[in-house]
Amino acid sequence: MISIPMKESKKIPGEKPARSMNFIEEIIKEDIRNGKNDGRVHTRFPPEPNGYLHIGHAKSICLNFGLGEKYRGKTNLRFDDTNPIKEEVEYVDSIMEDVKWLGFDWEDRLFYASDYFEQLYEYAVILIQKGKAYVCDMPADEISATRGTPNRPGKDSPYRDRSVEENLDLFIRMRSGEFPDGARVLRAKIDMTSPNMHMRDPVIYRILHASHHRTGDTWCIYPMYDFAHGQSDSIEGITHSICTLEFEVHRPLYDWLIREIGIYAPRQIEFARLNLNYTVMSKRKLLELVQEGKVTGWDDPRMPTISGLRRRGYTPESIRNFAEIIGVAKRDNVIDVSLLEFCIREDLNKRADRVMGVLNPVKVVIDNFPEDRVEEMEAMNNPEDPARSTRKVPFSRELYIEREDFMEDPPRKFFRMTPGREVRLRSAYIVKCESVEKDPKSGQITVIHCTYDPMTRSGMPDSNRKVKGTLHWVSARHAIESKVRLYDRLFSVPDPDNAEEGKTFKDYLNPDSLNVVKGYLEPSIREAQAGDTFQFERKGYFIVDKDSRSDALVFNRVVALRDSWAKTGHQK
Ligand code: ATP
Ligand code: MG
């Protein structure tokens, strides 16, 4: 048989390349084809409310809700709230806000594992009645000491052969609060010699006299994660329970518990968690940074949290696109943070209006421009989208340009301002540097004197005259002073988790991750509102921070225009 290659269809500009199906979609399609679960697709996102969500969670949210959307199924938001000690309402609220902000909707399917505590208790009773669970009186350290190692089998607990009646009696009394924390646990009775450590009679209930953020003091025994998670999936009719790779070794237990209790069996599928370089992603470590004041809070714009990224100026679309591009892997890998930065640049390039702002000013005086004259220059708001029209930018005799855009004695390929050579001021005139004034003590340049060519502004005969460099500028008299926070990576090494001996991840914090400067911005910025994003020409993308007041704007740099980290160790 001759196979005829299909003609490649022409790519429509701006169209996203069709992504091939990932292995989870293959599984789901196969299940649908086989009529499993009547073709139903039902996923869930199950955060533990013990911290704010980070970009790794965003990946999981996009995956779970994305599959729900793609296969016309449903996705639940379920709080895995089985640990009353570390969980707080603040986290629950922030998680809901983040999922919504990313653009996903759980509709009426907001659940809490704690809603199932009574049901889970009954499941435990079923296991006891079947002789598949027992109350063990060994303290925690003895339980772990008798678990063995991966190469050495564990030892049976002396309480393993308690009668069903005794187990039931003790479990009821555990619930009623008769015993102190840690006095007894309920363990599944599986196999102390199993090569899988998770199958060696795992603890499924513990005593904890602690108030729960939802159930208050109703309970003093709490199910362990492994006992709550799969059973909650089952209660909700989840068809595909998608989790990260570290749970692969828990899967036999997941399946065992469901089988022994005798309830509906969801299918657990594991994928590789998202790791990003130059950051840490564990909630515990992020909490440490917050508690020790290494950052200003969970939403510090340097944090990899969703709230931090939002405040930094990331858009939901850029994060969803990032999740799409990285895809779903079966093996652990590390994604370069510059890919995330690429995604936000690409998005803001279309979205953000251009303005001019000078962050490290030096004064320019146009000697042949009349002192009291102000001309309005017409500037494009967004060259990517001419429909966004133009704005007026005032031009006067005294301007600011960036100090680094001038060199008295430049190397060969320097095409910015230098004595005797012409440059274009963006949307305005061609000017030529004639002389400079310097501070006699420091030698620092204080004023650059230029002349302008009146024939070179838009509408004049020489408006199209080409010169090599184009600089941004702002009229000194009209400039709006604002606070500009230049953010950089929070860590100065790619893998802060991998600290050398005697150090911790915190020893690798980047001392230059925040640099606050004064910006001089064109007056059109005056009306900007918190959350608005702009491209400061040649300087990067910026967002108006919530700390702004109408008379004192604060900007955060989202990202520089180019990624120069690899070469210079910082953003340009
Ligand atoms: P952390 O390790 O940051 O403390 P966690 O796994 O304990 O996170 P959970 O609240 O249990 O946090 O996570 C909720 C869901 O998000 C889980 O299904 C988990 O597998 C998924 N998830 C967590 N971190 C990542 C990640 N880096 N990449 C992809 N998915 C993740
Ligand atoms: Mg977890």
Side-chain angles (χ1 to χ4, degrees):
M1 209 173 87
I2 307 163
S3 73
I4 302 161
M6 290 235 296
K7 215 173 162 188
E8 252 192 66
S9 62
K10 264 223 173 109
K11 195 176 169 292
I12 303 163
E15 188 195 41
K16 277 194 188 153
R19 187 175 51 81
S20 61
M21 259 197 302
N22 65 51
F23 75 97
I24 299 179
E25 293 178 27
E26 302 277 4
I27 293 173
I28 291 179
K29 281 206 105 157
E30 180 69 19
D31 285 347
I32 293 173
R33 206 175 303 131
N34 294 335
K36 197 176 167 188
N37 303 309
D38 303 323
R40 220 164 39 82
V41 173
H42 200 152
T43 56
R44 85 288 171 266
F45 173 63
E48 186 185 347
N50 61 351
Y52 281 59
L53 297 182
H54 53 59
I55 181 77
H57 295 112
K59 165 78 211 165
S60 174
I61 293 167
C62 292
L63 179 60
N64 279 295
F65 280 91
L67 290 169
E69 282 174 6
K70 180 158 183 181
Y71 295 99
R72 278 183 238 115
K74 292 175 179 162
T75 305
N76 298 356
L77 174 60
R78 181 203 316 141
F79 288 101
D80 240 324
D81 55 350
T82 53
N83 184 354
I85 294 170
K86 290 189 181 161
E87 295 163 4
E88 285 178 30
V89 177
E90 176 195 348
Y91 299 141
V92 170
D93 294 342
S94 77
I95 290 170
M96 292 201 278
E97 184 185 352
D98 288 348
V99 175
K100 275 192 218 145
W101 179 76
L102 280 174
F104 297 108
D105 186 2
W106 55 85
E107 297 170 341
D108 56 350
R109 293 178 307 279
L110 170 63
F111 301 112
Y112 294 83
S114 57
D115 292 342
Y116 311 136
F117 279 171
E118 190 64 44
Q119 178 74 73
L120 294 171
Y121 176 84
E122 280 162 29
Y123 289 157
V125 169
I126 293 175
L127 289 181
I128 295 172
Q129 283 167 337
K130 284 181 73 178
K132 297 288 183 181
Y134 62 97
V135 174
C136 179
D137 303 356
M138 286 201 293
D141 54 343
E142 266 180 54
I143 291 184
S144 65
T146 51
R147 267 180 92 215
T149 65
N151 303 317
R152 191 163 45 79
K155 278 203 203 80
D156 283 0
S157 159
Y159 305 97
R160 202 171 196 264
D161 293 319
R162 273 181 164 149
S163 68
V164 169
E165 292 68 34
E166 190 183 1
N167 280 322
L168 268 182
D169 174 61
L170 285 171
F171 191 50
I172 290 167
R173 288 161 60 195
M174 277 168 66
R175 176 182 181 165
S176 68
E178 199 175 318
F179 311 118
D181 289 0
R184 295 191 155 88
V185 292
L186 185 70
R187 298 176 71 174
K189 191 169 174 178
I190 309 179
D191 179 3
M192 288 306 289
T193 65
S194 168
N196 182 336
M197 299 284 287
H198 296 280
M199 298 297 272
R200 294 186 187 170
D201 292 9
V203 174
I204 57 177
Y205 259 95
R206 58 176 170 162
I207 301 173
L208 204 59
H209 292 267
S211 261
H212 186 278
H213 70 103
R214 284 178 60 83
T215 57
D217 294 323
T218 311
W219 293 90
C220 62
I221 55 171
Y222 289 94
M224 301 302 288
Y225 171 85
D226 278 320
F227 192 70
H229 187 79
Q231 283 48 259
S232 301
D233 281 345
S234 175
I235 291 167
E236 293 174 15
I238 299 303
T239 55
H240 300 86
S241 173
I242 296 159
C243 59
T244 38
L245 276 185
E246 67 271 24
F247 291 101
E248 191 170 3
V249 285
H250 296 241
R251 178 154 32 96
L253 177 58
Y254 183 104
D255 293 341
W256 185 94
L257 287 167
I258 285 195
R259 194 170 58 245
E260 293 299 338
I261 298 166
I263 49 179
Y264 162 76
R267 171 167 183 181
Q268 176 178 308
I269 307 168
E270 306 86 14
F271 73 102
R273 66 194 292 119
L274 165 64
N275 299 303
L276 264 191
N277 59 10
Y278 292 99
T279 192
V280 294
M281 217 107 91
S282 124
K283 279 188 268 189
R284 181 182 59 75
K285 289 181 178 167
L286 296 174
L287 178 65
E288 238 175 279
L289 295 176
V290 173
Q291 284 177 338
E292 293 175 19
K294 306 281 187 202
V295 292
T296 58
W298 285 99
D299 69 346
D300 185 299
R302 292 165 292 184
M303 291 279 269
T305 50
I306 298 179
S307 48
L309 291 167
R310 174 165 63 235
R311 190 163 173 198
R312 178 73 171 260
Y314 276 76
T315 58
E317 292 78 4
S318 65
I319 294 177
R320 288 172 71 151
N321 191 33
F322 172 71
E324 181 84 7
I325 290 175
I326 57 178
V328 183
K330 276 191 204 179
R331 295 267 158 274
D332 272 320
N333 57 1
V334 180
I335 303 290
D336 196 325
V337 67
S338 59
L339 182 61
L340 183 62
E341 294 166 349
F342 165 83
C343 290
I344 187 61
R345 261 187 216 111
E346 198 188 43
D347 193 40
L348 290 182
N349 183 37
K350 288 175 272 169
R351 237 177 247 282
D353 281 345
R354 275 55 172 165
V355 293
M356 290 195 284
V358 174
L359 303 183
N360 181 19
V362 61
K363 186 168 269 185
V364 170
V365 177
I366 315 282
D367 290 322
N368 59 341
F369 196 90
E371 201 149 339
D372 49 3
R373 182 145 103 212
V374 178
E375 287 186 26
E376 298 281 336
M377 300 296 171
E378 185 123 359
M380 288 261 264
N381 282 332
N382 190 334
E384 298 288 312
D385 181 5
R388 295 262 270 286
S389 105
T390 59
R391 68 186 187 286
K392 297 271 198 284
V393 187
F395 184 92
S396 65
R397 181 182 159 93
E398 296 199 353
L399 313 171
Y400 292 127
I401 65 166
E402 301 288 349
R403 193 165 275 280
E404 61 268 22
D405 280 341
F406 179 83
M407 269 181 107
E408 211 176 357
D409 200 5
R412 247 172 24 94
K413 292 216 162 157
F414 186 83
F415 296 123
R416 292 173 266 168
M417 192 181 278
T418 183
R421 199 183 310 141
E422 289 188 319
V423 288
R424 162 82 60 188
L425 295 179
R426 168 80 95 206
S427 308
Y429 292 105
I430 290 177
V431 298
K432 181 158 102 188
C433 167
E434 307 286 356
S435 65
V436 295
E437 287 177 40
K438 290 183 188 174
D439 180 309
K441 277 206 208 102
S442 67
Q444 209 195 32
I445 291 168
T446 49
V447 181
I448 300 169
H449 289 275
C450 290
T451 52
Y452 83 113
D453 178 347
M455 292 299 126
T456 52
R457 73 167 277 181
S458 158
M460 299 302 276
D462 293 341
S463 66
N464 287 328
R465 187 148 73 77
K466 293 274 174 285
V467 286
K468 276 221 158 124
T470 300
L471 307 183
H472 63 277
W473 52 275
V474 61
S475 163
R477 174 148 43 113
H478 301 91
I480 297 196
E481 275 189 36
S482 24
K483 190 166 162 178
V484 180
R485 299 174 180 146
L486 300 173
Y487 289 109
D488 206 338
R489 295 175 185 178
L490 187 52
F491 292 93
S492 43
V493 297
D495 186 9
D497 282 319
N498 195 8
E500 56 183 89
E501 198 148 319
K503 290 194 171 180
T504 75
F505 71 104
K506 287 177 286 184
D507 291 309
Y508 301 101
L509 282 163
N510 176 4
D512 300 319
S513 63
L514 171 58
N515 182 14
V516 183
V517 299
K518 217 187 261 177
Y520 297 82
L521 308 177
E522 62 166 75
S524 73
I525 206 87
R526 186 170 280 122
E527 306 299 321
Q529 303 288 320
D532 289 351
T533 46
F534 298 92
Q535 185 194 97
F536 291 2
E537 299 233 21
R538 301 176 63 232
K539 293 270 92 177
Y541 293 98
F542 293 77
I543 185 167
V544 183
D545 190 74
K546 64 178 183 188
D547 287 345
S548 294
R549 293 194 321 261
S550 59
D551 59 340
L553 290 171
V554 180
F555 287 87
N556 301 332
R557 182 169 68 185
V558 188
V559 69
L561 286 183
R562 276 186 314 267
D563 177 25
S564 54
W565 234 86
K567 275 195 215 120
T568 61
H570 63 86
Q571 296 209 339
K572 271 216 209 119

